Amino acid sequence: MYAIPQLKYTESGNFLLMAGPCAIESREVAFEIAERIQKITDKLEIPWIFKGSYRKANRTRLDSFTGIGDEKALQVLAEVSKHFGVPTVTDIHAAEEAAMAAAYVDVLQIPAFLCRQTDLLVAAAKTGKTINVKKGQFLSGSAMRFAVDKIRESGNPNIILTDRGNSFGYSDLVVDFRNIPDMQENKVPVLMDVTHSLQQPNQSSGVTGGKPELIGTIAKAAIAVGADGLFIETHPRPAEAKSDGANMLHLDKLEELLTVLVKIRKAVQ
């Protein structure tokens, strides 16, 4: 189902999980998070991919954290993969970044705001890596077929699509669960980005807000309607996170949530 090296438990029937911190803050934090998720997913037999952005290019304010350095962060991702035997995913923001990031990770992610950028999609496709395309907040699920076509026509069939809500007014998002079956019409796995869909962007402070108390609600609904997987940003100390702390799931709450979601998945099947 997923052409991703090192992906375990695909025969379990469980959903795929992409999880980790928003950004690579340090080797220590990345390893702390990966170790906890690994234990939980092994226990529940959930296939998972460690997520971490090597650089945050889409920031509201100039003084926002963007990263610890490209090569340093990418090396951390490579070390996580080797140490825990888990595939990794990171987002890229320009065509020239595709080959660089592909040397370190298993999955290249296209950010939602960039899902229509042809040069970026084609460059990512040509690496041969699995490509996870976030659906733009400004697009319907059915419109994502054009992103899929660009990648397939560039010679790469290994595609995942991820919903992350739709723009609603100026500072909120709303999740339209019709997007999941609409995107599945492309015969690719479809994930729900639970934590980003609960963002409240464009705040007057210049720092994105969020509603993490609804993470369970969105995750349960996504699995219930047939999503193939979930994307969840998590951190042991969200208040100290360098990026997106306002809408992250506290790492201590991950096992309880995933345990419930596994039961919902089995009931749906």
Side-chain angles (χ1 to χ4, degrees):
M1 186 179 183
Y2 306 100
I4 304 169
Q6 300 173 263
L7 194 60
K8 299 187 294 183
Y9 304 121
T10 53
E11 303 304 318
S12 68
N14 274 335
F15 51 87
L16 175 68
L17 176 67
M18 285 190 184
C22 178
I24 298 298
E25 303 174 11
S26 68
R27 184 183 186 278
E28 293 71 26
V29 172
F31 268 64
E32 178 183 1
I33 295 170
E35 182 175 15
R36 292 274 300 277
I37 300 175
Q38 182 83 313
K39 289 178 180 178
I40 295 168
T41 53
D42 279 349
K43 178 180 178 180
L44 298 174
E45 296 189 344
I46 297 173
W48 81 289
I49 301 170
F50 179 82
K51 182 269 169 184
S53 297
Y54 75 91
R55 188 200 318 153
K56 300 302 296 182
N58 177 23
R59 302 288 85 189
T60 302
R61 289 170 26 175
L62 186 61
D63 61 353
S64 296
F65 175 81
T66 58
I68 60 174
D70 292 357
E71 187 173 352
K72 184 176 180 181
L74 286 167
Q75 185 60 48
V76 169
L77 285 163
E79 289 180 23
V80 166
S81 180
K82 182 178 180 180
H83 183 84
F84 295 99
V86 61
T88 55
V89 56
T90 197
D91 39 337
I92 58 173
H93 317 92
E96 58 268 22
E97 297 177 24
M100 175 185 69
Y104 294 88
V105 300
D106 303 283
V107 181
L108 296 179
Q109 183 168 285
I110 307 301
F113 282 127
L114 302 178
C115 68
R116 286 170 50 95
Q117 298 299 107
T118 301
D119 288 350
L120 179 58
L121 291 167
V122 171
K126 289 183 175 179
T127 67
K129 299 289 185 175
T130 296
I131 311 302
N132 179 35
V133 188
K134 293 280 194 78
K135 184 190 73 63
Q137 302 93 318
F138 43 85
L139 290 177
S140 66
S142 58
M144 287 300 289
R145 70 183 178 89
F146 300 109
V148 172
D149 288 345
K150 289 175 184 178
I151 296 171
R152 283 181 174 154
E153 291 171 15
S154 298
N156 191 337
N158 304 314
I159 305 164
I160 299 172
L161 295 179
T162 298
D163 191 12
R164 49 99 74 237
N166 285 81
S167 295
F168 182 76
Y170 292 102
S171 58
D172 208 355
L173 296 166
V174 65
V175 177
D176 181 351
F177 286 102
R178 295 176 299 177
N179 286 328
I180 292 174
D182 282 350
M183 290 194 287
Q184 287 172 330
E185 288 293 317
N186 295 290
K187 306 303 180 186
V188 300
V190 174
L191 277 55
M192 182 74 229
D193 182 344
V194 180
T195 47
H196 282 108
S197 67
L198 290 168
Q199 283 183 333
Q200 293 181 305
N202 305 318
Q203 300 297 306
S204 59
S205 65
V207 178
T208 297
K211 293 184 175 180
E213 66 274 13
L214 294 177
I215 287 172
T217 300
I218 299 298
K220 293 170 189 174
I223 294 301
V225 300
D228 299 292
L230 300 174
F231 179 107
I232 297 175
E233 289 187 341
T234 184
H235 197 284
R237 297 165 292 279
E240 299 175 15
K242 301 286 188 181
S243 178
D244 280 1
N247 53 274
M248 277 190 182
L249 177 69
H250 197 294
L251 191 55
D252 289 345
K253 298 180 179 180
L254 182 62
E255 182 172 356
E256 180 181 4
L257 175 60
L258 292 178
T259 300
V260 172
L261 295 174
V262 168
K263 292 178 181 178
I264 294 174
R265 172 78 165 190
K266 289 179 180 178
V268 170
Q269 289 176 327

